Amino acid sequence: MTVGLNAFLLVSGLLFAIGFFGVLLRRNTLVIYMCLELMLNAVNLALVAFARYHDSLDGAIFVFFSITVAAAEVAVGLAIAVALYRKRQTILVQELAAMKD
Amino acid sequence: MENFLFYLFSVLTILGALLLVVNRNAVNGAMFMIISLIGMAALFLLLEAYFLFILQILVYAGAVMVLFLFIVMLIDVEKGPKTRPDGLTIAASIVGLALLLLGIIAVFTTDSATSALPEVTKLPEAASAAGIPFGTSVRGYGYGLFTKYMLPFQVTGFLLLIAMIGVIVVSKKITASGDAEKEGPKKA
């Protein structure tokens, strides 16, 4: 393969930046959460690329753990979002500012 | 050919991510996120991590996104009053994006002598790594998980159990006496 490690790292960095932009910009908690998942995925891509180009499986195994933890995190986070919606009838972040006032 | 595939799938991944961020509708955003995740799975394939490719498709593009879509459709945000992000939020997020992009550009454009990035363009031929050598089969993953990473593997199992119990507790509304609250139809 002629594509270098740096090309994968560039894609990973761009994805992380886009996810960060989404977390800052969006109002809907669920979309913010999806953007967080995107950032996690970008880091996964960098880890796999490093593992491949350094000829070591350790990075890939770490990605395995990362995917598992992300799946558990999504389940808990979405349960919290549903509980929040039942209590407050909204999931828009600008209306969930009870700690601010 | 592989170069072409790399460009195709990186453009697909980044385009899906961008459309997720700028899309108004959360359901459409979730669809674009699925496109982005599948593009990333294809990038895993190009990196010869076949096991992670399958895992990415099954866990992320499958289970996680189905859960997201279910919750997005359950919680109907569209019926509320439409709120656009105010100018300050847009300005702050653009400044944040610009700073990150500046960092990326600075890292990738400095000359190779002083750059933090190593110039690695070729795949290593021989298995010379200090850790577990890279292999395309699932055997390497199994070997790693049950030898070097045995403890993290067990801890991850406990983490999944704890997450399951946490989800049940959060969604069941257990009262102080330990009984689950009865959830009958609400009389309004």
Side-chain angles (χ1 to χ4, degrees):
Chain A
M1 188 151 76
T2 51
V3 179
L5 168 64
N6 290 355
F8 282 99
L9 292 186
L10 181 63
V11 173
S12 164
L14 284 178
L15 273 174
F16 190 88
I18 291 170
F20 183 66
F21 179 57
V23 170
L24 289 183
L25 181 69
R26 297 306 299 263
R27 291 309 185 70
N28 188 339
T29 311
L30 293 172
V31 178
I32 289 175
Y33 212 49
M34 277 194 254
C35 292
L36 278 176
E37 289 300 310
L38 206 67
M39 288 164 80
L40 264 175
N41 254 290
V43 177
N44 280 356
L45 180 63
L47 274 171
V48 176
F50 273 126
R52 182 73 194 96
Y53 281 93
H54 287 231
D55 197 17
S56 156
L57 206 58
D58 297 62
I61 291 176
F62 192 82
V63 171
F64 171 83
F65 288 122
S66 163
I67 288 177
T68 320
V69 172
E73 177 218 326
V74 164
V76 176
L78 288 179
I80 290 175
V82 170
L84 198 64
Y85 184 73
R86 280 205 302 215
K87 206 165 179 61
R88 306 283 300 266
Q89 301 301 316
T90 180
I91 51 161
L92 298 176
V93 281
Q94 76 267 25
E95 292 172 29
L96 297 172
M99 301 260 288
K100 197 172 86 178
D101 322 319
Chain B
M1 185 63 191
E2 274 188 337
N3 270 352
F4 169 71
L5 286 179
F6 170 74
Y7 293 127
L8 175 74
F9 287 119
S10 5
V11 166
L12 196 73
T13 310
I14 290 175
L15 213 65
L18 263 181
L19 286 171
L20 159 71
V21 171
V22 299
N23 206 300
R24 279 288 166 74
N25 191 337
V27 178
N28 289 353
M31 291 300 176
F32 287 126
M33 173 109 186
I34 292 179
I35 291 179
S36 181
L37 291 176
I38 289 177
M40 193 168 311
L43 290 180
F44 284 176
L45 203 61
L46 289 180
L47 286 167
E48 299 178 16
Y50 303 128
F51 178 58
L52 291 178
F53 160 74
I54 295 288
L55 219 59
Q56 175 89 358
I57 294 280
L58 282 182
V59 175
Y60 261 115
V64 166
M65 289 319 291
V66 165
L67 204 59
F68 262 117
L69 271 173
F70 177 68
I71 301 295
V72 165
M73 290 175 178
L74 184 76
I75 299 175
D76 193 11
V77 189
E78 312 299 323
K79 73 182 177 195
K82 287 269 180 222
T83 48
R84 298 173 60 87
D86 53 1
L88 193 63
T89 307
I90 293 175
S93 46
I94 286 177
V95 166
L97 178 69
L99 285 177
L100 264 186
L101 287 180
L102 197 70
I104 292 170
I105 290 168
V107 166
F108 279 92
T109 52
T110 44
D111 54 330
S112 54
T114 55
S115 170
L117 290 170
E119 207 46 58
V120 185
T121 50
K122 281 226 175 65
L123 289 177
E125 297 298 327
S128 60
I132 304 157
F134 195 90
T136 53
S137 72
V138 189
R139 169 182 294 214
Y141 291 90
Y143 179 76
L145 284 180
F146 283 97
T147 53
K148 191 174 175 185
Y149 296 101
M150 191 65 208
L151 183 64
F153 186 62
Q154 307 260 6
V155 172
T156 310
F158 269 109
L159 182 80
L160 286 175
L161 177 71
I162 292 164
M164 194 179 76
I165 295 172
V167 168
I168 292 170
V169 169
V170 165
S171 55
K172 262 292 196 188
K173 284 197 217 157
I174 292 173
T175 54
S177 61
D179 305 325
E181 201 174 275
K182 281 218 179 82
E183 285 202 55
K186 273 202 182 125
K187 282 170 198 148

